[in-house]
Amino acid sequence: MDRGHSAPRGAREDYYRAAARSRIPPGKIEAPTLLIWGEDDFALRIELTHGMDGLFEREPRVEYVPNTSHWVMEEQPETVNRLLLDFLA
């Protein structure tokens, strides 16, 4: 689903990937990590979740939410709450 963004395909992903990596402090993230990602996110595509292994001491838990775009919390609040409660338990 494209909502009229004029950036070439892949340019947004490159921007966010570069921006995120430029702010990452040296070392790996040590805290347990949960990433909740909308499968239909038009701004931050799923490919951004690939290749992150080197950023974490332990493998993060990644949950892809089907039929959901960029605003996962607004579109699927029950799912997000369930995932958070399970992760924090």
Side-chain angles (χ1 to χ4, degrees):
M1 164 190 311
D2 190 356
R3 302 222 175 153
H5 298 283
S6 60
R9 186 175 272 292
R12 289 185 302 262
E13 292 84 355
D14 292 342
Y15 167 80
Y16 283 110
R17 184 175 286 123
R21 289 190 177 145
S22 69
R23 292 185 213 130
I24 296 173
K28 295 183 179 186
I29 297 169
E30 296 178 12
T33 304
L34 169 65
L35 178 62
I36 302 172
W37 205 275
E39 286 185 354
D40 299 328
D41 190 330
F42 57 87
L44 302 173
R45 296 179 358 166
I46 279 182
E47 290 80 9
L48 287 175
T49 66
H50 303 161
M52 296 189 311
D53 300 338
L55 301 175
F56 302 93
E57 283 293 328
R58 62 181 93 163
E59 186 175 344
R61 177 176 164 185
V62 181
E63 296 286 347
Y64 298 106
V65 183
N67 304 312
T68 307
S69 69
H70 190 68
W71 297 278
V72 181
M73 283 179 36
E74 292 180 20
E75 295 177 33
Q76 300 287 338
E78 297 86 8
T79 300
V80 170
N81 286 338
R82 179 181 49 77
L83 291 169
L84 286 170
L85 288 171
D86 181 64
F87 181 73
L88 296 170

